[in-house]
Amino acid sequence: MAANSKTPANWDVFVRGIWKENPVFVMLLGMCPTLAVSNSVINAIAMGLATTFVLVCSSALVSMLRNFIPKQVRIATYIVIIATFVTIVDYTIQAISIDLYKALGAFISLIVVNCIILGRAEAFASKNTLYKSVLDAFGMGLGFTFALLCLGVVREVLGSGSLFGVQILPDSFQPWGIMILPPGGFIVLGFWLLLFAWLEERRQRGNAEGDGANA
Amino acid sequence: MSTVENVQAAEPEVSSFKMIYTLGGVAMLSGFLLVLVFNVTKGPIAANKKAAIERAVFQVLPGAEERRTFQIVNGVVQPLAEGENPAGTVFYCGYDASGAFRGVALPGSSQGYADIVKVLYGYSPEKEIIIGMTVLESKETPGLGDRVTKDPVFLENFTALDARLADTGDGLAHDIVTVKHGAKENPWEIDGIAGATISSKTVGRALNASAAELLPVIRKNLDVLKANQ
């Protein structure tokens, strides 16, 4: 059946955002929230999920309306759609926890201008079916959350000696205050990018050798 | 642009009407969604904000289990109903389980290292001391300045900080000041944190300015606050 032959392609659409085209580690998009709110694991997860929600909802709506939106006003329409979902997230987080809302600060409203979201609306959702767009948005959102989590874990453990706000390192450990501050964000991001670039290089070399052997 | 140009430019693409329909339709959909979410979350958000205020008030007024909100408008104390927009400085009175007056929780603020630091402190009019302090809002450097919000030794300063009024009744007998760590000699001095000097001084300034301004008003209206039970 046609559906069966499509499954691998759809799976590829989903996984691509998490790994091969990870928005943070590979495409280097959305750096601002990545550096700003990855200072603790809770903040990282909350920001990641909020962005994923906005990404999935706005991609779904953009994809549904893609045949009705005139090309000339598409960006304006996307921004209105994205801003709507961001405001919804804003209210929802306030309703869940005021402390979390304070910790994320202005970065919730700034999801509107996160280039990952507009990027996916323009490059993918406006050209693909609803199902594929949602899969793509979900993959990208999870990839973004994963990247924030990678930074958040390292920064919270080294900067506060805790994980999820629970002390895990002994009291004798002197927290590296700089890890909580912006420079720490840049340093940790640098190391993660290094790791990803190295993995990618190894994969390509492996591919090349494999091809050589096959030939 | 003339009409002719408009028509020519629009012909190969779409008419302006379609653009207006699309934008209008999306905006209406957006408005509908926002009103819906706003109404659903209004209750929980208000409850969360109230809980956050009560937590802070009860934290700075040990023993208090109930609070009432007041405001100071032109030196006159008025009760402030829940949800009403304040016209002046808002403060809270704490009462214990039996309804006895425990003290007032007053706001203060001062420019810190990063941004304005907002504090709430508990004041006992009988003993004329500050009995608790919590930082409501600060963007002080994590690991350095933000220690003023949680350092137990620093917070110990605010369990019995002298805030006596001068005999004339229009200001403090002694200014509340933050001194270097370990240099505290008088009950109206705050023992600062080494490595967070600016932030500790900020808290001291916030308390001093607020106490000098508000405490005389509180003293004059004490009967109102105690009677309102």
Side-chain angles (χ1 to χ4, degrees), chain B residues 44-58:
Chain B
I45 291 176
N48 271 347
K49 284 191 174 154
K50 195 175 160 219
I53 290 174
E54 292 201 331
R55 212 168 43 220
V57 170
F58 298 159

Side-chain angles (χ1 to χ4, degrees), chain A residues 61 65 67-73 76-77 80-81 83-85 87-88 90-99 102 177 180-181, chain B residues 9-10 13-15 18-20 22-23 26-27 29-31 33-34 37-38 41 44-45 48-49 52 55 136-137 141-144:
Chain A
L61 201 58
L65 297 175
N67 295 327
F68 301 103
I69 301 174
K71 219 178 84 199
Q72 293 87 339
V73 292
T77 316
V80 172
I81 291 172
T84 306
F85 289 112
T87 315
I88 290 174
D90 191 278
Y91 285 140
T92 312
I93 292 183
Q94 278 190 66
I96 294 170
S97 161
I98 294 278
D99 289 337
K102 275 189 187 163
I180 302 287
L181 302 175
Chain B
E13 298 289 340
V14 279
S15 73
K18 194 179 177 208
M19 296 183 201
I20 294 170
T22 314
L23 276 177
V26 168
L29 180 72
S30 146
L33 277 175
L34 288 185
V37 173
F38 178 77
T41 53
I45 291 176
N48 271 347
K49 284 191 174 154
R55 212 168 43 220
L136 295 178
E137 232 180 283
T141 319
L144 296 170

Side-chain angles (χ1 to χ4, degrees), chain B residues 24 34 40 61 72 92 97 104 125 130 133 146 155 164 169 192 207 225:
Chain B
L34 288 185
V40 170
L61 291 175
I72 302 173
Y92 310 93
V104 291
I130 287 171
M133 189 281 297
D146 83 333
L155 294 179
R164 256 178 299 149
L207 290 183
L225 302 177

Side-chain angles (χ1 to χ4, degrees), chain A residues 179-201:
Chain A
M179 281 300 166
I180 302 287
L181 302 175
F186 279 102
I187 293 170
V188 176
L189 178 67
F191 278 110
W192 278 111
L193 289 177
L194 193 67
L195 180 71
F196 262 70
W198 178 72
L199 283 177
E200 177 63 17
E201 199 187 72

Side-chain angles (χ1 to χ4, degrees), chain A residues 124-194:
Chain A
F124 200 93
S126 61
K127 299 185 187 103
N128 285 283
T129 58
L130 173 64
Y131 179 61
K132 268 197 167 179
S133 304
V134 169
L135 269 186
D136 171 75
F138 203 56
M140 286 288 165
L142 287 186
F144 183 65
T145 311
F146 167 72
L148 282 181
L149 204 57
C150 287
L151 267 84
V153 168
V154 175
R155 290 180 69 187
E156 190 176 342
V157 168
L158 294 180
S160 322
S162 64
L163 204 58
F164 287 101
V166 179
Q167 187 87 22
I168 54 160
L169 293 180
D171 279 340
S172 57
F173 173 77
Q174 175 70 38
W176 306 4
I178 195 166
M179 281 300 166
I180 302 287
L181 302 175
F186 279 102
I187 293 170
V188 176
L189 178 67
F191 278 110
W192 278 111
L193 289 177
L194 193 67

